[in-house]
Amino acid sequence: MMKTKYLISSLAFLTAFSCGTSASAASLPPAVAGRAPEIVALPDGGWLLLDKQGLRLLDAAGKERSKISLRAKHLDARPHPDGMLAVFMDADTQKTYAYVADVKTGKMRLQTSVASPDFSLESLCLYRDAQQLDHVFLIGKEGQSEQWVMHNDSAQLVRKLALPPHSKHCRVDDHSQTLYLNAPDSGVWAFTAEAETSARLKPVAMAAPLGKLQGGASAISAVPGGVAVLDAKGKKLHLYRQKDGQHFQPAQVINLPYSAANIQVQAANGKLDMLLQDEQAKTWRASSTTWIYSTAAPKIAVIEPSVQTDAVARHGDAADDPAIWVHPQDASLSRVLGTNKKQGLLVYDMQGKQTQLLESGRLNNVDVRQNIKWGQQSFDIAMATQRDENSLVLYVINGQGQVAEAARFATKLDKIYGFCLYQPRTGGLEAFVNDKDGTFQQFRITHNEQGFSSSLVRNFKLGSQPEACVADDKTDRLFMGEEKRGVWVTSAKADQPADMQMVMPVGKQLVADVEGLSIYFGEKANYLLVSSQGDNSYLVLETQAPYRLRGKFRIGLNLVKGIDGTSETDGLDVSAINFGGEFANGMLVVQDGYKRLPDGTQNFKYIAWKAIAKAFKLD
């Protein structure tokens, strides 16, 4: 059945091309467009044409309405409320321009431009992200490349990239966030267009003898869930599908009755509407082929960060877990503590400026509890796991937010990892610490004239590697993240058995690894925040059974403040305290795995709780 369907669609495609007609003659560009190497259809039936004389705006009959005169190359476009957003390059200056083609006025107005980079440009293309922000990729001849984001009349550098050299064409499938590159010497490659994720380069179709693409590719066009590729001679059109977001497989190969120099594709109603330039006849031919694809994807809210901290002083995977300390008199003077796995404990103010560095070694997780009473004395305490010593480090925080190391406690764990504090309703302080093998140990912390001490009061175990945990002091419960399986809850009381109940398993919503956990204690309701590291998102769950999911969000760019989004978050913390200003309803602090806008070492981001509450109508 599938073979028959494929044959019928291929025959219809070839018949249309052989006759030089299509199902919709109106979809053909006017004759004047035949010599233009790059074209874009406009929503009013008009066209954008790019050639050696510049960029021209035509009406449906082929009459010129407006023109930008320069030696232009590499046209790409996205829909715009006024018509079409078009980007292209000045071949002489290597400057990139973004113009809006206004179909109502028939004019083209400059939106922004990007100065020539310090490398030779080979190609460029557009990408529209989940925030509906427009990015432009500048692809360098020798592999040096850049990603810029355009906002109003300005553009900001997002990141620098290393991509296959001599990539003659690039196009982006916005839906799958995939950047496709055509490097004739090696073939077609796929790269992650979304900056807030790890860079991954994957082969799509390799040139012979490494693959079956004879002579490489002459042109490409992104299609939903894949890419269309013209071979070197322009005689074969290859369609490739992306499978499981990881691999690519051939979907169709269509023999063309002439040599095509370029291709433009639009997807609609289960088919691909194509325009291919007949190189010899100097005309564009149109047709379509069946293309079944799914654009269904869960809508995930995007929330902007409000503050970012100074970057950590170590490269790579360094920053890990934050904890919030609240100033007892003035919450605007509060502090955020953050671990650096390659250095120690960092302390930041509410504006994100670093105020302290305690070089305590390779710290992983940190947590804070305040106003802990032992006898006549009261302390604000932070504790963290120290991975070189498999120990717990205890810090005392004074009333001005100054942090000082006060004690270290040995554990019998082999690979100490995650950690959280617990303040029982009966008083005192306890600590939960885990090992990569799933073991949890519960310690009771005490203080007397000789100083701080700890004693082991309980052991239990999860089936595989955990990390994050958070104690609900008000209900004496412990929530734990098992990285590959999900979130569990059990009693936090040392004299109770560790009977595990699943809160949310890893699956469609919660994508492994399960990382940071924290609880927002609101006036009317409490919410569990979970870092879903596998899809760079955050879940908001109710803290009472059945632990209803209230929302899922990502943290995106705040271009007004010059703050990038977040990804691959390890740790997080949240507080409902009124910190003033936009944090009057509390704030969430998350670790960011990739610092962008521009590139840098990792840091932490502050997000206003009111933005989260508004997105999901939380109490």
Side-chain angles (χ1 to χ4, degrees), residues 150-208:
M150 299 180 291
H151 180 62
N152 295 330
D153 58 353
S154 65
Q156 298 179 54
L157 177 64
V158 176
R159 59 174 172 168
K160 292 181 178 292
L161 302 165
L163 297 173
H166 306 291
S167 295
K168 299 292 185 182
H169 302 90
C170 71
R171 285 293 183 266
V172 178
D173 176 12
D174 298 340
H175 180 70
S176 65
Q177 302 176 328
T178 304
L179 167 67
Y180 292 102
L181 300 153
N182 168 27
D185 292 341
S186 57
V188 179
W189 298 86
F191 189 78
T192 47
E194 179 52 50
E196 287 293 346
T197 187
S198 58
R200 294 171 183 165
L201 183 67
K202 298 176 183 178
V204 178
M206 293 294 94

Short mmCIF file of all heavy atoms in Angstrom, two decimals, residues 150-208:
data_model
loop_
_atom_site.label_atom_id
_atom_site.label_comp_id
_atom_site.label_asym_id
_atom_site.label_seq_id
_atom_site.Cartn_x
_atom_site.Cartn_y
_atom_site.Cartn_z
N MET A 150 17.44 38.95 15.97
CA MET A 150 16.99 40.28 15.58
C MET A 150 15.79 40.68 16.42
O MET A 150 14.88 39.88 16.64
CB MET A 150 16.65 40.30 14.10
CG MET A 150 17.83 39.96 13.21
SD MET A 150 17.44 39.98 11.44
CE MET A 150 16.35 38.56 11.32
N HIS A 151 15.81 41.91 16.89
CA HIS A 151 14.73 42.40 17.75
C HIS A 151 14.52 43.87 17.46
O HIS A 151 15.44 44.69 17.63
CB HIS A 151 15.10 42.20 19.22
CG HIS A 151 14.05 42.66 20.18
ND1 HIS A 151 12.78 42.12 20.22
CD2 HIS A 151 14.07 43.62 21.15
CE1 HIS A 151 12.08 42.72 21.16
NE2 HIS A 151 12.83 43.64 21.74
N ASN A 152 13.31 44.21 17.00
CA ASN A 152 13.00 45.58 16.59
C ASN A 152 14.02 46.03 15.54
O ASN A 152 14.13 45.43 14.49
CB ASN A 152 12.95 46.50 17.81
CG ASN A 152 11.81 46.14 18.75
OD1 ASN A 152 10.77 45.63 18.31
ND2 ASN A 152 11.99 46.39 20.03
N ASP A 153 14.80 47.07 15.83
CA ASP A 153 15.74 47.57 14.84
C ASP A 153 17.18 47.23 15.19
O ASP A 153 18.11 47.88 14.72
CB ASP A 153 15.60 49.09 14.69
CG ASP A 153 15.82 49.83 16.00
OD1 ASP A 153 15.95 49.16 17.04
OD2 ASP A 153 15.86 51.07 15.98
N SER A 154 17.38 46.21 16.01
CA SER A 154 18.75 45.84 16.40
C SER A 154 18.95 44.34 16.27
O SER A 154 18.00 43.57 16.08
CB SER A 154 19.02 46.27 17.85
OG SER A 154 18.20 45.55 18.75
N ALA A 155 20.20 43.92 16.36
CA ALA A 155 20.56 42.50 16.31
C ALA A 155 21.63 42.25 17.36
O ALA A 155 22.52 43.09 17.57
CB ALA A 155 21.04 42.11 14.93
N GLN A 156 21.55 41.11 18.03
CA GLN A 156 22.52 40.77 19.07
C GLN A 156 23.13 39.40 18.77
O GLN A 156 22.43 38.48 18.33
CB GLN A 156 21.85 40.72 20.44
CG GLN A 156 21.25 42.05 20.88
CD GLN A 156 20.58 41.94 22.24
OE1 GLN A 156 21.19 41.50 23.22
NE2 GLN A 156 19.32 42.35 22.32
N LEU A 157 24.43 39.28 19.01
CA LEU A 157 25.12 38.01 18.81
C LEU A 157 24.68 37.01 19.86
O LEU A 157 24.76 37.28 21.06
CB LEU A 157 26.63 38.21 18.88
CG LEU A 157 27.49 36.95 18.75
CD1 LEU A 157 27.33 36.31 17.38
CD2 LEU A 157 28.96 37.26 19.03
N VAL A 158 24.20 35.85 19.42
CA VAL A 158 23.76 34.80 20.34
C VAL A 158 24.91 33.86 20.68
O VAL A 158 25.18 33.57 21.84
CB VAL A 158 22.59 34.00 19.72
CG1 VAL A 158 22.19 32.84 20.63
CG2 VAL A 158 21.40 34.90 19.47
N ARG A 159 25.60 33.38 19.65
CA ARG A 159 26.70 32.45 19.88
C ARG A 159 27.57 32.37 18.63
O ARG A 159 27.14 32.68 17.52
CB ARG A 159 26.19 31.05 20.23
CG ARG A 159 25.29 30.43 19.19
CD ARG A 159 24.92 29.00 19.51
NE ARG A 159 23.90 28.49 18.58
CZ ARG A 159 23.55 27.20 18.49
NH1 ARG A 159 24.15 26.30 19.24
NH2 ARG A 159 22.59 26.82 17.65
N LYS A 160 28.80 31.91 18.82
CA LYS A 160 29.70 31.58 17.73
C LYS A 160 29.68 30.07 17.53
O LYS A 160 29.51 29.31 18.49
CB LYS A 160 31.12 32.07 18.03
CG LYS A 160 31.25 33.59 18.05
CD LYS A 160 32.68 34.02 18.31
CE LYS A 160 32.83 35.54 18.29
NZ LYS A 160 32.64 36.09 16.93
N LEU A 161 29.86 29.63 16.28
CA LEU A 161 29.70 28.22 15.94
C LEU A 161 30.86 27.73 15.08
O LEU A 161 31.50 28.51 14.37
CB LEU A 161 28.39 28.02 15.15
CG LEU A 161 27.10 28.46 15.84
CD1 LEU A 161 25.98 28.53 14.83
CD2 LEU A 161 26.76 27.51 16.95
N ALA A 162 31.09 26.43 15.16
CA ALA A 162 32.01 25.76 14.25
C ALA A 162 31.19 24.77 13.43
O ALA A 162 30.64 23.81 13.98
CB ALA A 162 33.10 25.03 15.03
N LEU A 163 31.07 25.02 12.12
CA LEU A 163 30.21 24.24 11.24
C LEU A 163 31.03 23.72 10.06
O LEU A 163 32.16 24.18 9.83
CB LEU A 163 29.03 25.08 10.76
CG LEU A 163 28.07 25.55 11.86
CD1 LEU A 163 27.03 26.52 11.30
CD2 LEU A 163 27.39 24.37 12.52
N PRO A 164 30.50 22.76 9.30
CA PRO A 164 31.26 22.24 8.16
C PRO A 164 31.69 23.34 7.21
O PRO A 164 30.88 24.19 6.82
CB PRO A 164 30.25 21.29 7.50
CG PRO A 164 29.35 20.86 8.61
CD PRO A 164 29.22 22.06 9.49
N PRO A 165 32.96 23.38 6.83
CA PRO A 165 33.43 24.43 5.92
C PRO A 165 32.83 24.29 4.53
O PRO A 165 32.37 23.22 4.15
CB PRO A 165 34.95 24.22 5.90
CG PRO A 165 35.15 22.79 6.29
CD PRO A 165 34.03 22.46 7.24
N HIS A 166 32.82 25.41 3.82
CA HIS A 166 32.33 25.47 2.43
C HIS A 166 30.86 25.06 2.32
O HIS A 166 30.47 24.41 1.35
CB HIS A 166 33.20 24.60 1.51
CG HIS A 166 34.66 24.93 1.60
ND1 HIS A 166 35.19 26.11 1.13
CD2 HIS A 166 35.70 24.24 2.14
CE1 HIS A 166 36.49 26.13 1.36
NE2 HIS A 166 36.83 25.01 1.98
N SER A 167 30.07 25.43 3.32
CA SER A 167 28.63 25.16 3.27
C SER A 167 27.97 26.21 2.38
O SER A 167 27.81 27.36 2.77
CB SER A 167 28.02 25.18 4.67
OG SER A 167 28.54 24.13 5.47
N LYS A 168 27.58 25.80 1.18
CA LYS A 168 27.09 26.73 0.16
C LYS A 168 25.67 27.22 0.43
O LYS A 168 25.29 28.32 0.01
CB LYS A 168 27.14 26.07 -1.22
CG LYS A 168 28.53 25.64 -1.66
CD LYS A 168 29.43 26.83 -1.91
CE LYS A 168 30.77 26.41 -2.47
NZ LYS A 168 31.68 27.56 -2.67
N HIS A 169 24.86 26.39 1.08
CA HIS A 169 23.48 26.76 1.37
C HIS A 169 23.15 26.34 2.79
O HIS A 169 23.70 25.37 3.31
CB HIS A 169 22.49 26.07 0.41
CG HIS A 169 22.73 26.37 -1.03
ND1 HIS A 169 23.57 25.61 -1.81
CD2 HIS A 169 22.25 27.35 -1.82
CE1 HIS A 169 23.58 26.11 -3.04
NE2 HIS A 169 22.80 27.16 -3.07
N CYS A 170 22.21 27.06 3.41
CA CYS A 170 21.67 26.63 4.70
C CYS A 170 20.20 26.99 4.76
O CYS A 170 19.76 27.98 4.16
CB CYS A 170 22.44 27.26 5.86
SG CYS A 170 22.19 29.03 6.11
N ARG A 171 19.44 26.16 5.43
CA ARG A 171 18.02 26.39 5.66
C ARG A 171 17.64 25.78 7.01
O ARG A 171 18.26 24.82 7.46
CB ARG A 171 17.16 25.78 4.56
CG ARG A 171 17.18 26.55 3.24
CD ARG A 171 16.52 27.91 3.39
NE ARG A 171 16.46 28.65 2.15
CZ ARG A 171 17.35 29.55 1.76
NH1 ARG A 171 18.43 29.77 2.51
NH2 ARG A 171 17.21 30.21 0.63
N VAL A 172 16.58 26.34 7.64
CA VAL A 172 16.17 25.88 8.96
C VAL A 172 14.73 25.42 8.94
O VAL A 172 13.85 26.11 8.41
CB VAL A 172 16.35 26.99 10.02
CG1 VAL A 172 15.87 26.50 11.39
CG2 VAL A 172 17.80 27.44 10.10
N ASP A 173 14.47 24.25 9.50
CA ASP A 173 13.12 23.78 9.80
C ASP A 173 12.79 24.28 11.20
O ASP A 173 13.29 23.74 12.20
CB ASP A 173 13.06 22.25 9.72
CG ASP A 173 11.70 21.69 10.12
OD1 ASP A 173 10.74 22.49 10.23
OD2 ASP A 173 11.60 20.47 10.34
N ASP A 174 11.97 25.33 11.28
CA ASP A 174 11.67 25.95 12.57
C ASP A 174 11.00 24.98 13.53
O ASP A 174 11.25 25.01 14.74
CB ASP A 174 10.77 27.17 12.38
CG ASP A 174 11.43 28.26 11.55
OD1 ASP A 174 12.66 28.26 11.43
OD2 ASP A 174 10.69 29.12 11.03
N HIS A 175 10.14 24.13 13.00
CA HIS A 175 9.36 23.23 13.86
C HIS A 175 10.26 22.27 14.62
O HIS A 175 10.10 22.08 15.84
CB HIS A 175 8.35 22.46 13.03
CG HIS A 175 7.51 21.52 13.83
ND1 HIS A 175 6.55 21.96 14.71
CD2 HIS A 175 7.50 20.16 13.91
CE1 HIS A 175 5.98 20.91 15.30
NE2 HIS A 175 6.54 19.82 14.83
N SER A 176 11.22 21.69 13.93
CA SER A 176 12.13 20.74 14.59
C SER A 176 13.41 21.41 15.08
O SER A 176 14.27 20.74 15.63
CB SER A 176 12.49 19.60 13.64
OG SER A 176 13.25 20.08 12.54
N GLN A 177 13.52 22.72 14.87
CA GLN A 177 14.69 23.49 15.30
C GLN A 177 15.98 22.90 14.74
O GLN A 177 16.97 22.73 15.45
CB GLN A 177 14.74 23.58 16.83
CG GLN A 177 13.49 24.21 17.43
CD GLN A 177 13.50 24.21 18.94
OE1 GLN A 177 14.04 23.30 19.57
NE2 GLN A 177 12.88 25.20 19.54
N THR A 178 15.94 22.60 13.43
CA THR A 178 17.06 21.96 12.77
C THR A 178 17.62 22.86 11.68
O THR A 178 16.89 23.30 10.80
CB THR A 178 16.66 20.61 12.15
OG1 THR A 178 16.10 19.78 13.18
CG2 THR A 178 17.87 19.91 11.54
N LEU A 179 18.91 23.11 11.75
CA LEU A 179 19.63 23.86 10.73
C LEU A 179 20.26 22.86 9.76
O LEU A 179 21.01 21.97 10.17
CB LEU A 179 20.72 24.71 11.38
CG LEU A 179 21.78 25.33 10.46
CD1 LEU A 179 21.16 26.38 9.54
CD2 LEU A 179 22.92 25.94 11.27
N TYR A 180 19.93 23.00 8.47
CA TYR A 180 20.50 22.13 7.45
C TYR A 180 21.58 22.88 6.67
O TYR A 180 21.40 24.05 6.32
CB TYR A 180 19.41 21.65 6.48
CG TYR A 180 18.42 20.71 7.12
CD1 TYR A 180 17.16 21.17 7.52
CD2 TYR A 180 18.74 19.38 7.35
CE1 TYR A 180 16.24 20.31 8.13
CE2 TYR A 180 17.82 18.52 7.96
CZ TYR A 180 16.59 18.99 8.34
OH TYR A 180 15.68 18.15 8.94
N LEU A 181 22.68 22.20 6.42
CA LEU A 181 23.83 22.79 5.74
C LEU A 181 24.22 21.93 4.55
O LEU A 181 24.27 20.70 4.67
CB LEU A 181 25.02 22.90 6.69
CG LEU A 181 24.80 23.74 7.94
CD1 LEU A 181 25.71 23.28 9.06
CD2 LEU A 181 25.05 25.20 7.64
N ASN A 182 24.48 22.58 3.44
CA ASN A 182 24.92 21.87 2.24
C ASN A 182 26.39 22.16 2.01
O ASN A 182 26.77 23.27 1.62
CB ASN A 182 24.10 22.32 1.03
CG ASN A 182 24.69 21.85 -0.28
OD1 ASN A 182 25.37 20.82 -0.31
ND2 ASN A 182 24.46 22.58 -1.35
N ALA A 183 27.23 21.18 2.30
CA ALA A 183 28.67 21.26 2.04
C ALA A 183 28.98 20.31 0.90
O ALA A 183 29.08 19.08 1.11
CB ALA A 183 29.46 20.88 3.29
N PRO A 184 29.09 20.81 -0.34
CA PRO A 184 29.19 19.93 -1.52
C PRO A 184 30.28 18.87 -1.41
O PRO A 184 30.12 17.76 -1.92
CB PRO A 184 29.47 20.92 -2.66
CG PRO A 184 28.85 22.19 -2.21
CD PRO A 184 29.07 22.23 -0.73
N ASP A 185 31.39 19.19 -0.76
CA ASP A 185 32.47 18.21 -0.68
C ASP A 185 32.12 17.01 0.19
O ASP A 185 32.63 15.91 -0.02
CB ASP A 185 33.73 18.88 -0.11
CG ASP A 185 34.31 19.91 -1.06
OD1 ASP A 185 33.97 19.84 -2.26
OD2 ASP A 185 35.08 20.77 -0.62
N SER A 186 31.23 17.22 1.18
CA SER A 186 30.92 16.13 2.10
C SER A 186 29.45 15.72 2.08
O SER A 186 29.13 14.56 2.32
CB SER A 186 31.32 16.51 3.53
OG SER A 186 30.67 17.70 3.94
N GLY A 187 28.54 16.65 1.81
CA GLY A 187 27.13 16.31 1.77
C GLY A 187 26.28 17.26 2.59
O GLY A 187 26.67 18.40 2.84
N VAL A 188 25.13 16.79 3.03
CA VAL A 188 24.17 17.60 3.78
C VAL A 188 24.23 17.20 5.26
O VAL A 188 24.20 16.02 5.60
CB VAL A 188 22.74 17.42 3.23
CG1 VAL A 188 21.75 18.25 4.04
CG2 VAL A 188 22.69 17.81 1.76
N TRP A 189 24.29 18.24 6.10
CA TRP A 189 24.41 18.03 7.54
C TRP A 189 23.23 18.69 8.27
O TRP A 189 22.64 19.63 7.76
CB TRP A 189 25.71 18.64 8.06
CG TRP A 189 26.95 18.05 7.48
CD1 TRP A 189 27.57 18.41 6.31
CD2 TRP A 189 27.73 16.99 8.03
NE1 TRP A 189 28.68 17.63 6.10
CE2 TRP A 189 28.81 16.75 7.14
CE3 TRP A 189 27.63 16.22 9.18
CZ2 TRP A 189 29.77 15.78 7.38
CZ3 TRP A 189 28.59 15.25 9.42
CH2 TRP A 189 29.65 15.04 8.53
N ALA A 190 22.96 18.19 9.46
CA ALA A 190 21.94 18.79 10.34
C ALA A 190 22.61 19.25 11.62
O ALA A 190 23.48 18.56 12.17
CB ALA A 190 20.84 17.78 10.65
N PHE A 191 22.20 20.43 12.09
CA PHE A 191 22.77 21.02 13.29
C PHE A 191 21.63 21.59 14.12
O PHE A 191 20.57 21.94 13.60
CB PHE A 191 23.76 22.14 12.90
CG PHE A 191 24.57 22.68 14.03
CD1 PHE A 191 25.67 21.98 14.51
CD2 PHE A 191 24.25 23.89 14.64
CE1 PHE A 191 26.44 22.47 15.55
CE2 PHE A 191 25.00 24.39 15.69
CZ PHE A 191 26.11 23.68 16.14
N THR A 192 21.84 21.69 15.42
CA THR A 192 20.80 22.21 16.31
C THR A 192 20.69 23.73 16.16
O THR A 192 21.63 24.46 16.47
CB THR A 192 21.12 21.86 17.77
OG1 THR A 192 22.49 22.17 18.04
CG2 THR A 192 20.89 20.40 18.05
N ALA A 193 19.53 24.19 15.69
CA ALA A 193 19.33 25.62 15.51
C ALA A 193 19.09 26.34 16.83
O ALA A 193 19.41 27.52 16.97
CB ALA A 193 18.15 25.87 14.56
N GLU A 194 18.51 25.63 17.79
CA GLU A 194 18.21 26.24 19.08
C GLU A 194 19.50 26.42 19.88
O GLU A 194 20.19 25.44 20.18
CB GLU A 194 17.21 25.40 19.85
CG GLU A 194 16.84 25.93 21.21
CD GLU A 194 16.39 27.38 21.17
OE1 GLU A 194 15.52 27.72 20.33
OE2 GLU A 194 16.91 28.17 21.97
N ALA A 195 19.80 27.66 20.23
CA ALA A 195 21.06 27.95 20.90
C ALA A 195 21.12 27.38 22.31
O ALA A 195 22.20 27.02 22.79
CB ALA A 195 21.28 29.47 20.96
N GLU A 196 19.96 27.27 22.98
CA GLU A 196 19.94 26.80 24.35
C GLU A 196 19.89 25.27 24.40
O GLU A 196 18.98 24.66 24.96
CB GLU A 196 18.76 27.39 25.10
CG GLU A 196 18.92 28.86 25.43
CD GLU A 196 20.03 29.14 26.44
OE1 GLU A 196 20.50 28.18 27.09
OE2 GLU A 196 20.43 30.30 26.57
N THR A 197 20.88 24.67 23.80
CA THR A 197 21.02 23.21 23.86
C THR A 197 22.43 22.87 23.42
O THR A 197 23.16 23.70 22.90
CB THR A 197 19.98 22.52 22.95
OG1 THR A 197 20.03 21.10 23.16
CG2 THR A 197 20.24 22.81 21.49
N SER A 198 22.83 21.63 23.64
CA SER A 198 24.17 21.22 23.26
C SER A 198 24.28 21.15 21.74
O SER A 198 23.35 20.75 21.05
CB SER A 198 24.52 19.86 23.87
OG SER A 198 23.59 18.88 23.46
N ALA A 199 25.42 21.56 21.21
CA ALA A 199 25.65 21.57 19.77
C ALA A 199 25.82 20.14 19.26
O ALA A 199 26.68 19.40 19.74
CB ALA A 199 26.89 22.40 19.46
N ARG A 200 24.99 19.77 18.28
CA ARG A 200 25.06 18.42 17.72
C ARG A 200 25.01 18.49 16.21
O ARG A 200 24.08 19.04 15.64
CB ARG A 200 23.89 17.57 18.24
CG ARG A 200 23.95 17.30 19.75
CD ARG A 200 22.68 16.66 20.25
NE ARG A 200 22.71 16.47 21.69
CZ ARG A 200 21.64 16.20 22.44
NH1 ARG A 200 20.46 16.09 21.86
NH2 ARG A 200 21.75 16.04 23.73
N LEU A 201 26.03 17.95 15.59
CA LEU A 201 26.13 17.91 14.13
C LEU A 201 25.92 16.46 13.68
O LEU A 201 26.60 15.55 14.16
CB LEU A 201 27.50 18.40 13.68
CG LEU A 201 27.73 18.49 12.18
CD1 LEU A 201 26.86 19.57 11.56
CD2 LEU A 201 29.20 18.77 11.88
N LYS A 202 24.95 16.26 12.76
CA LYS A 202 24.62 14.91 12.32
C LYS A 202 24.57 14.84 10.81
O LYS A 202 24.11 15.79 10.16
CB LYS A 202 23.25 14.49 12.89
CG LYS A 202 23.22 14.45 14.40
CD LYS A 202 21.82 14.13 14.91
CE LYS A 202 21.79 14.17 16.42
NZ LYS A 202 20.43 13.92 16.94
N PRO A 203 25.03 13.74 10.24
CA PRO A 203 24.95 13.59 8.78
C PRO A 203 23.52 13.30 8.34
O PRO A 203 22.80 12.55 8.98
CB PRO A 203 25.88 12.41 8.50
CG PRO A 203 25.86 11.59 9.76
CD PRO A 203 25.70 12.59 10.88
N VAL A 204 23.13 13.91 7.23
CA VAL A 204 21.81 13.65 6.64
C VAL A 204 21.98 12.82 5.37
O VAL A 204 21.39 11.75 5.24
CB VAL A 204 21.08 14.97 6.31
CG1 VAL A 204 19.73 14.68 5.63
CG2 VAL A 204 20.86 15.78 7.57
N ALA A 205 22.78 13.33 4.45
CA ALA A 205 23.03 12.63 3.18
C ALA A 205 24.47 12.92 2.78
O ALA A 205 24.82 14.06 2.49
CB ALA A 205 22.07 13.12 2.10
N MET A 206 25.30 11.89 2.76
CA MET A 206 26.70 12.07 2.47
C MET A 206 27.00 11.90 0.99
O MET A 206 26.38 11.10 0.28
CB MET A 206 27.54 11.08 3.27
CG MET A 206 27.50 11.33 4.77
SD MET A 206 28.28 12.90 5.29
CE MET A 206 26.86 14.01 5.35
N ALA A 207 27.96 12.68 0.54
CA ALA A 207 28.40 12.58 -0.86
C ALA A 207 29.18 11.29 -1.06
O ALA A 207 29.84 10.79 -0.14
CB ALA A 207 29.27 13.78 -1.21
N ALA A 208 29.09 10.73 -2.25
CA ALA A 208 29.84 9.53 -2.58
C ALA A 208 31.35 9.84 -2.47
O ALA A 208 31.77 10.96 -2.75
CB ALA A 208 29.49 9.07 -3.99
#
